[in-house]
Amino acid sequence: MLTPLGRLDKYAASENIFNRQMVARSLLDTLKEVSDDERDCIAVLERISRLADDSEPTVRAELMEQVPRIAVFCQENRPSIPYAFSKYLLPIVVRYLADQNNQVRKTSQAALLVLLEQELIERYDVETKVCPVLIELTAPDSNDDVKTEAVAIMCKMASMVGKDITERLVLPRFCEMCCDCRMFHVRKVCAANFGDICSVVGQQATEEMLLPRFSQLCSDNVWGVRKACAECFMAVSCATSQEVRRTKLSTLFINLISDPSRWVRQAAFQSLGPFISTFANPSSSGHFFKEEESKNTEDHRSAEEDSEKIRDTEDVTTEDVHSRTEKPPSDADFSDFTIKLENTREDHNPVPSNSQSETDYQTETFLCCTLSSESCGEIADENKQSSSFCSIATLQESGLRSQETSLSEQELYNSFHFWRTPLPEIDIDLELQQTDQIMPDPEIREGTKDVTVPASSNITMATRKELEEMIENLEPHIDDPDVKAQVEVLSAALRASSLDPQEETTAGIGKGMDSQNDQLNYKLIQDDTVPLISDTVENIDSTLRYIHNDSDLSTNSSFSPEEERKSKVQDVVPQALLDQYLSMTDPSRAQTVDTEIAKHCAYSLPGVALTLGRQNWHCLKDTYETLASDMQWKVRRTLAFSIHELAVILGDQLTAGDLVPVFNGFLKDLDEVRIGVLKHLHDFLKLLHLDKRREYLYQLQEFLVTDNSRNWRFRYELAEQLILLLDIYSARDIYDYLRPIALSLCADKVSSVRWISYKLVSEIVKKLHMASTSTFVVDFMNELVEKFCRCPKWSGRQTFVFICQTVIEDDCLPMDQFAVQLLPHLLHLASDRVPNVRVLLAKTLRQTLLEKEYFLNSASSHQEVVEQTVMALQMDDDNDVKYFASVHPASSKIADDAMSTASSTY
């Protein structure tokens, strides 16, 4: 009989290829047989070296597949065969990396990575044996295929050998390969693995050595290289500083997004969301759930500083305005006043001119009316230039007052303040010139010196005719809100121009000359009743110029595209990146880039939202709503699976306002979308306020209805979520709303749904028992007895046993209460005519109930009744019932089967 070594030598020298392949497969077994003798082990390893020189590629490939297993064996038996792997096996692996046969090379590459991953190669061997060979294989004169594969191996092993070896040995050659002008395949491999190298060498080496190479690859003339760069962009970004990410990488990425190749654009848009997420900063993202938690001390400090600046500006501005009430301003004073107000407006630009309140406007008109007629006319002209000039102080005071009283913008909103189209800003010299031309007629004053009357009489008949023509031209487009607002302005101006100002003035003076106070009241009424109309009439020429020049009226409204664009401006990520991300919902993108681009946008939206922070949610709100109503159900499904994460990011207020309507829409969507909402139902509802959360109790019943009745996993998920929802609802809500659903699930056609529903029912029993009102649990247990224990179908009675078994195992009810409420009904099933019910009862009594301490140590009447029932079951006619009633779980080999739920048939 041949020894293991003799058998090995015999078949290794065979001319039959299959015999030599068999030898390669049996090397590990042979090595195990001779492992006790060190010399025989060395002899086997030497024969492996000779077999490695076989001329047949299939033999060499078979040998290389066994090397990792042999290496593990050598490592475990190192005392017997020291340095066996390093001396005999590693040289074979390294040599095969340059083998002429492709299959042998691929096998050796896979073996090398496995050996490195399992740390079977010493660090010294990596530096002296592996890396030099790889560097040699990547030389300029090396074979093209071998060079490409060697670069891939270098990149993949970088994370396994560590930063030191990678920086010293791999990084210089990798940088050279990135600039390989002859082989674009090499550059493509480098681009595909660029992120892995960056993550290993760290930030400094990435920015100093790798980033210039990456920039070259991003502008490579081969689209496959640029596509690989786009795919690894996030990994590269993670290895750089925030400044480099913002200044250099953003520019490169914008170029990739606008690449001529559709495949590059597609990869870039897929990586856009992940790349934006690398700009996230926890200190600025506002990742707090409650709104009040997001206010830190630094925010308070900055708010106080801003308020001080505003107060200082208010003091200066108010003093300046009051100084003008004492004397008519000269031209020099007027220019100084204008400069100060312009500077104030620049410093406090966030104050919108069209958001002033009625109080602010009345204050403004009061200042105007207490001046002389000349100064009042000048200030009226100032109002034409910017309505925030005279009222800047009151506006700032109003803003501070609204912050102190914590009034929301919605509460301060009044549609009256937003109806007028903003007046055009005109150069101040031209404005003064127009003021001199449009002065009130002396006849209109009727001798009064201090009363200013709107100069509506200066509108000629030609101007009125032009107004009428403009209104007629705009009426076909009245559906547009901006056009409608313009028509209202023009109509009001036309009505004002048709009045007889002389009669109005005479009547007003006749009633108001009794006293000086009445005269002042007249001034206030006169200027307060027609402020908007007078401003509109005085500026009607400017308005007509806007229309005749075909300027877009919508660009001047508070809801213009320009304003909407500005509302999406933020400073967390480069605006160009965000604009490109928001454009992913554009239907044209699906045609020019990728049909599933909207899905990629939806997938990365929570990460982008976290990066921007809840303070910039307004930038993403419209995009989110567009995605939520997308025609593709895959897009809506993606949002449904992540809506609970987005709710955590946005907080309770934004969730209630913006996400709840979307959530409600998903509840009525297709099952493929509803399952996303259902899987995280508890996670979302727990973030809502109690009153809002209770509204969904009425809709939980709808989850029982699915498009396909065979979709039992939907109902299974519902049961799992209901178990979690028990913690966020009261006992009354559980009893009224969750209890009927649980009972319905217990009678489901699919056993898996019934199993999880038993757990749900037991948890409901536990929750109701812990509640202060004990009547709920008693009523519920009575319903269980009536619905299942007395059910005419044997499956219902078996369900009752299962529920009792789960209640006992999970300790959902004290044993004394269980013995009173459920045990008598449970024991009554010992005489059931269906064996399956009695089998389950025997298992429950013997293996669950009698194991409880209450029935082990107590000599109560309940224990006696249970033991008598068990004895009766031991004498049952059915053999299975006898077996489970008599055998203790620990005394039988099939105890596991007895305890398993699968042993109970349905």
Side-chain angles (χ1 to χ4, degrees):
M1 184 177 179
L2 293 174
T3 62
L5 284 176
R7 187 169 62 251
L8 187 65
D9 291 336
K10 175 183 176 180
Y11 290 106
S14 174
E15 294 181 359
N16 192 325
I17 297 175
F18 298 105
N19 288 338
R20 300 201 301 275
Q21 286 182 351
M22 183 186 67
V23 170
R25 290 194 196 99
S26 61
L27 282 173
L28 181 58
D29 296 332
T30 303
L31 199 58
K32 291 179 178 179
E33 291 180 17
V34 299
S35 59
D36 296 336
D37 191 338
E38 183 178 345
R39 282 191 234 175
D40 290 345
C41 289
I42 298 298
V44 173
L45 293 174
E46 290 175 350
R47 284 162 175 77
I48 291 177
S49 300
R50 290 200 297 268
L51 191 63
D53 298 329
D54 196 287
S55 60
E56 178 59 37
T58 56
V59 177
R60 300 198 302 272
E62 191 67 49
L63 173 63
M64 188 50 55
E65 288 183 0
Q66 304 300 320
V67 166
R69 301 172 189 172
I70 298 174
V72 172
F73 178 80
C74 294
Q75 183 73 16
E76 294 173 351
N77 297 272
R78 193 163 185 172
S80 305
I81 41 178
Y83 311 110
F85 174 76
S86 177
K87 184 177 180 180
Y88 297 101
L89 299 179
L90 185 58
I92 301 175
V93 177
V94 173
R95 179 153 54 94
Y96 279 6
L97 291 174
D99 196 273
Q100 295 298 320
N101 185 268
N102 182 53
Q103 183 182 2
V104 177
R105 288 201 311 272
K106 295 293 185 183
T107 309
S108 64
Q109 293 164 13
L112 178 61
L113 294 177
V114 171
L115 295 171
L116 288 170
E117 185 178 3
Q118 297 185 2
E119 300 180 352
L120 296 175
I121 306 179
E122 298 291 339
R123 187 179 183 83
Y124 174 78
D125 292 334
V126 173
E127 294 189 32
T128 58
K129 296 181 179 179
V130 178
C131 289
V133 172
L134 292 175
I135 293 174
E136 182 182 351
L137 294 176
T138 55
D141 57 347
S142 178
N143 179 274
D144 292 342
D145 294 338
V146 174
K147 182 194 294 186
T148 305
E149 295 168 358
V151 172
I153 290 296
M154 290 172 59
C155 297
K156 292 177 181 178
M157 64 181 283
S159 59
M160 303 177 190
V161 300
K163 179 180 179 181
D164 181 50
I165 294 179
T166 302
E167 270 193 283
R168 286 190 294 108
L169 303 177
V170 177
L171 188 57
R173 180 51 59 91
F174 179 80
C175 293
E176 293 178 15
M177 294 296 99
C178 290
C179 303
D180 192 309
C181 300
R182 192 168 60 90
M183 285 287 297
F184 82 90
H185 295 289
V186 175
R187 301 196 304 274
K188 185 176 180 181
V189 171
C190 292
N193 296 277
F194 212 95
D196 297 334
I197 298 293
C198 292
S199 61
V200 173
V201 299
Q203 178 178 327
Q204 183 177 357
T206 298
E207 296 179 356
E208 294 177 358
M209 299 182 64
L210 292 175
L211 209 55
R213 305 291 185 272
F214 188 67
S215 179
Q216 295 175 7
L217 293 173
C218 287
S219 57
D220 197 276
N221 57 357
V222 178
W223 68 265
V225 178
R226 303 194 301 273
K227 179 176 180 289
C229 291
E231 290 171 346
C232 71
F233 218 93
M234 177 185 176
V236 176
S237 178
C238 290
T240 60
S241 63
Q242 189 73 262
E243 182 182 359
V244 171
R245 191 177 299 138
R246 181 177 291 273
T247 57
K248 296 182 179 180
L249 292 183
S250 298
T251 306
L252 294 177
F253 199 87
I254 292 297
N255 294 335
L256 292 175
I257 276 187
S258 56
D259 194 271
S261 172
R262 175 171 182 165
W263 307 112
V264 178
R265 297 197 304 272
Q266 181 175 329
F269 272 108
Q270 290 183 20
S271 301
L272 178 56
F275 176 50
I276 291 178
S277 68
T278 60
F279 288 86
N281 184 2
S283 62
S284 62
S285 62
H287 193 188
F288 306 94
F289 178 63
K290 294 296 182 183
E291 297 292 344
E292 57 270 12
E293 293 175 4
S294 61
K295 297 181 180 179
N296 51 32
T297 55
E298 186 175 344
D299 294 334
H300 284 303
R301 198 177 300 113
S302 61
E304 291 174 0
E305 293 175 358
D306 293 340
S307 63
E308 289 297 329
K309 292 180 182 178
I310 293 174
R311 289 192 186 98
D312 295 341
T313 308
E314 290 170 9
D315 295 339
V316 174
T317 309
T318 307
E319 291 174 3
D320 201 24
V321 172
H322 283 301
S323 67
R324 298 302 181 270
T325 63
E326 298 173 1
K327 60 178 182 179
S330 63
D331 291 344
D333 294 338
F334 182 83
S335 62
D336 294 339
F337 177 68
T338 305
I339 292 173
K340 287 183 180 181
L341 288 172
E342 285 178 343
N343 294 336
T344 304
R345 184 175 60 172
E346 292 176 359
D347 293 339
H348 303 283
N349 198 33
V351 180
S353 61
N354 58 351
S355 62
Q356 52 187 340
S357 62
E358 288 185 11
T359 305
D360 301 332
Y361 189 82
Q362 290 173 1
T363 306
E364 178 187 355
T365 54
F366 176 80
L367 289 174
C368 292
C369 293
T370 54
L371 303 179
S372 64
S373 60
E374 295 179 359
S375 61
C376 184
E378 290 179 359
I379 290 185
D381 290 336
E382 290 175 19
N383 288 337
K384 290 190 293 183
Q385 181 174 1
S386 174
S387 61
S388 63
F389 274 22
C390 284
S391 60
I392 186 70
T394 54
L395 283 174
Q396 298 292 351
E397 289 176 355
S398 176
L400 290 175
R401 203 175 300 117
S402 64
Q403 291 179 3
E404 293 173 358
T405 56
S406 301
L407 291 176
S408 63
E409 294 182 1
Q410 289 80 1
E411 293 172 342
L412 288 176
Y413 176 83
N414 188 328
S415 60
F416 177 77
H417 305 143
F418 294 84
W419 76 289
R420 185 180 66 174
T421 303
L423 300 175
E425 293 193 11
I426 307 174
D427 185 75
I428 188 66
D429 296 334
L430 178 62
E431 187 74 20
L432 289 173
Q433 186 177 359
Q434 291 180 353
T435 305
D436 295 337
Q437 295 175 356
I438 308 176
M439 289 297 296
D441 195 332
E443 294 180 2
I444 299 177
R445 298 188 184 182
E446 290 288 331
T448 58
K449 297 181 180 180
D450 297 332
V451 179
T452 301
V453 179
S456 60
S457 62
N458 291 336
I459 297 181
T460 62
M461 292 299 297
T463 305
R464 294 173 186 170
K465 185 177 181 181
E466 199 171 6
L467 276 175
E468 294 174 354
E469 292 179 356
M470 294 312 306
I471 293 175
E472 291 178 1
N473 293 334
L474 291 175
E475 281 180 351
H477 309 285
I478 198 69
D479 293 337
D480 189 341
D482 299 319
V483 176
K484 183 178 180 181
Q486 186 64 28
V487 169
E488 291 176 355
V489 172
L490 296 176
S491 301
L494 191 62
R495 286 195 302 271
S497 65
S498 63
L499 297 176
D500 186 358
Q502 185 171 357
E503 292 178 3
E504 285 186 351
T505 306
T506 304
I509 294 175
K511 294 179 181 179
M513 292 299 293
D514 293 340
S515 65
Q516 207 166 10
N517 293 334
D518 292 338
Q519 188 176 7
L520 179 60
N521 291 337
Y522 169 78
K523 288 189 246 179
L524 293 176
I525 294 173
Q526 197 67 318
D527 269 62
D528 196 29
T529 51
V530 284
L532 295 179
I533 299 300
S534 62
D535 288 345
T536 305
V537 171
E538 290 171 358
N539 291 277
I540 200 65
D541 293 336
S542 301
T543 306
L544 293 176
R545 280 199 301 272
Y546 261 72
I547 301 174
H548 286 314
N549 291 337
D550 293 328
S551 60
D552 188 3
L553 294 175
S554 63
T555 59
N556 297 314
S557 67
S558 58
F559 301 98
S560 65
E562 183 68 19
E563 293 293 336
E564 291 180 2
R565 189 189 67 79
K566 290 182 179 179
S567 69
K568 293 180 172 55
V569 175
Q570 41 71 50
D571 58 354
V572 180
V573 301
Q575 188 61 34
L577 291 178
L578 183 60
D579 291 341
Q580 291 290 346
Y581 179 80
L582 298 179
S583 72
M584 291 176 73
T585 57
D586 191 342
S588 62
R589 294 290 190 192
Q591 302 296 327
T592 59
V593 181
D594 185 7
T595 56
E596 293 192 349
I597 188 172
K599 181 181 178 182
H600 298 304
C601 179
Y603 181 81
S604 56
L605 194 139
V608 176
L610 177 61
T611 302
L612 295 179
R614 65 179 60 170
Q615 69 274 14
N616 292 315
W617 167 243
H618 60 277
C619 299
L620 297 174
K621 179 181 176 182
D622 293 342
T623 300
Y624 186 80
E625 293 175 351
T626 302
L627 292 171
S629 58
D630 195 274
M631 293 296 294
Q632 302 182 68
W633 64 265
K634 292 182 179 179
V635 177
R636 305 194 303 274
R637 174 185 170 93
T638 303
L639 293 181
F641 271 93
S642 63
I643 192 171
H644 66 290
E645 297 289 354
L646 194 58
V648 175
I649 296 170
L650 297 184
D652 50 359
Q653 292 186 12
L654 289 176
T655 296
D658 298 337
L659 296 190
V660 167
V662 176
F663 183 83
N664 294 338
F666 288 159
L667 291 178
K668 304 173 184 178
D669 214 313
L670 301 175
D671 286 351
E672 289 81 2
V673 179
R674 295 170 69 204
I675 188 63
V677 173
L678 182 59
K679 275 186 174 292
H680 304 284
L681 186 63
H682 168 260
D683 297 329
F684 185 83
L685 294 183
K686 72 178 182 181
L687 302 177
L688 303 180
H689 291 294
L690 182 60
D691 54 345
K692 196 72 178 176
R693 189 189 305 156
R694 293 191 73 253
E695 294 179 5
Y696 290 95
L697 287 169
Y698 308 94
Q699 304 182 41
L700 293 177
Q701 192 83 21
E702 298 177 4
F703 283 110
L704 292 174
V705 182
T706 56
D707 298 337
N708 185 0
S709 59
R710 296 182 179 179
N711 188 7
W712 60 268
R713 290 180 178 85
F714 202 90
R715 301 189 296 275
Y716 184 92
E717 189 65 43
L718 173 61
E720 285 192 328
Q721 288 298 313
L722 292 180
I723 293 175
L724 300 175
L725 290 177
L726 296 177
D727 295 332
I728 64 175
Y729 286 113
S730 64
R732 166 64 69 180
D733 291 336
I734 293 173
Y735 185 82
D736 291 343
Y737 299 100
L738 303 189
R739 173 188 56 83
I741 302 177
L743 296 178
S744 176
L745 292 172
C746 285
D748 198 88
K749 295 180 179 180
V750 180
S751 61
S752 297
V753 178
R754 295 196 297 271
W755 283 120
I756 189 66
S757 63
Y758 301 153
K759 173 72 174 177
L760 171 60
V761 170
S762 65
E763 290 296 327
I764 291 178
V765 171
K766 184 176 182 179
K767 187 75 175 179
L768 296 179
H769 171 71
M770 295 171 60
S772 57
T773 308
S774 59
T775 57
F776 286 141
V777 66
V778 175
D779 295 341
F780 185 47
M781 287 189 290
N782 292 336
E783 186 175 7
L784 291 176
V785 172
E786 190 66 30
K787 185 176 182 63
F788 296 113
C789 184
R790 298 171 184 172
C791 180
K793 294 183 179 180
W794 69 269
S795 58
R797 301 191 297 274
Q798 190 183 51
T799 296
F800 180 78
V801 182
F802 274 123
I803 292 175
C804 292
Q805 183 184 31
T806 309
V807 170
I808 298 170
E809 290 176 348
D810 297 342
D811 294 324
C812 299
L813 206 61
M815 281 297 100
D816 55 347
Q817 191 168 351
F818 175 85
V820 174
Q821 298 291 337
L822 296 177
L823 184 59
H825 305 285
L826 182 65
L827 299 179
H828 179 72
L829 295 176
S831 59
D832 196 277
R833 63 181 182 273
V834 179
N836 285 358
V837 178
R838 302 197 302 275
V839 166
L840 182 59
L841 176 63
K843 289 171 59 177
T844 302
L845 296 179
R846 186 72 180 179
Q847 302 167 8
T848 304
L849 188 65
L850 291 178
E851 295 299 313
K852 291 295 179 181
E853 186 177 357
Y854 179 82
F855 291 96
L856 289 176
N857 303 328
S858 175
S860 62
S861 58
H862 300 297
Q863 183 183 15
E864 297 178 1
V865 175
V866 171
E867 290 179 352
Q868 292 175 4
T869 304
V870 171
M871 292 178 62
L873 292 173
Q874 290 174 356
M875 296 181 290
D876 196 272
D877 296 336
D878 190 89
N879 292 331
D880 291 332
V881 177
K882 289 181 182 180
Y883 173 79
F884 288 111
S886 58
V887 178
H888 193 274
S891 63
S892 173
K893 288 192 291 185
I894 61 172
D896 294 337
D897 179 68
M899 291 294 291
S900 69
T901 55
S903 62
S904 297
T905 58
Y906 271 71

